[in-house]
Amino acid sequence: MASDEQAEAVPMEVAPPLLAPDSVKAAELAALNVHKKLNMQAAPIRHYLEAAVVPVLMQGMQALCKDRPENPVEYLAYYLLAHNPQNTKSDPPSQPQ
């Protein structure tokens, strides 16, 4: 009898109600529309980064992997400053040893 009392004390889980197929499709459509809007907003940023930053960044990452300096972040920063294609200065910054 003690086990019957314990079984009654445990609350039963209630299954969530089933959603109507129309509401599920509407939710999917809304989610897809939000996703499309985000992709459209991100496209100009991606093109900008691919054109202006990625080429020199990849070259810097390759040099970083080749040289393996003790301070890789500082090395990459100096590399990017020294190899900036938009740099109007004639003297690149000197890299610390």
Side-chain angles (χ1 to χ4, degrees):
M1 293 282 173
S3 63
D4 290 336
E5 290 175 11
Q6 289 176 350
E8 290 177 20
V10 176
M12 296 188 60
E13 292 185 28
V14 178
L18 295 176
L19 299 175
D22 292 338
S23 63
V24 171
K25 287 183 181 182
E28 284 181 17
L29 184 59
L32 288 173
N33 286 337
V34 169
H35 183 67
K36 287 178 186 176
K37 287 180 185 176
L38 290 175
N39 282 343
M40 291 178 75
Q41 291 173 349
I45 295 170
R46 182 178 179 150
H47 292 300
Y48 167 73
L49 291 174
E50 285 177 352
V53 179
V54 171
V56 69
L57 182 61
M58 292 304 295
Q59 292 170 0
M61 296 292 286
Q62 289 172 348
L64 181 71
C65 290
K66 180 182 174 187
D67 295 344
R68 296 188 182 248
E70 288 184 29
N71 190 340
V73 174
E74 187 175 297
Y75 177 93
L76 183 59
Y78 277 101
Y79 183 92
L80 293 174
L81 289 171
H83 295 87
N84 182 0
Q86 299 174 347
N87 192 2
T88 57
K89 297 178 183 176
S90 59
D91 295 330
S94 60
Q95 188 171 5
Q97 296 297 325

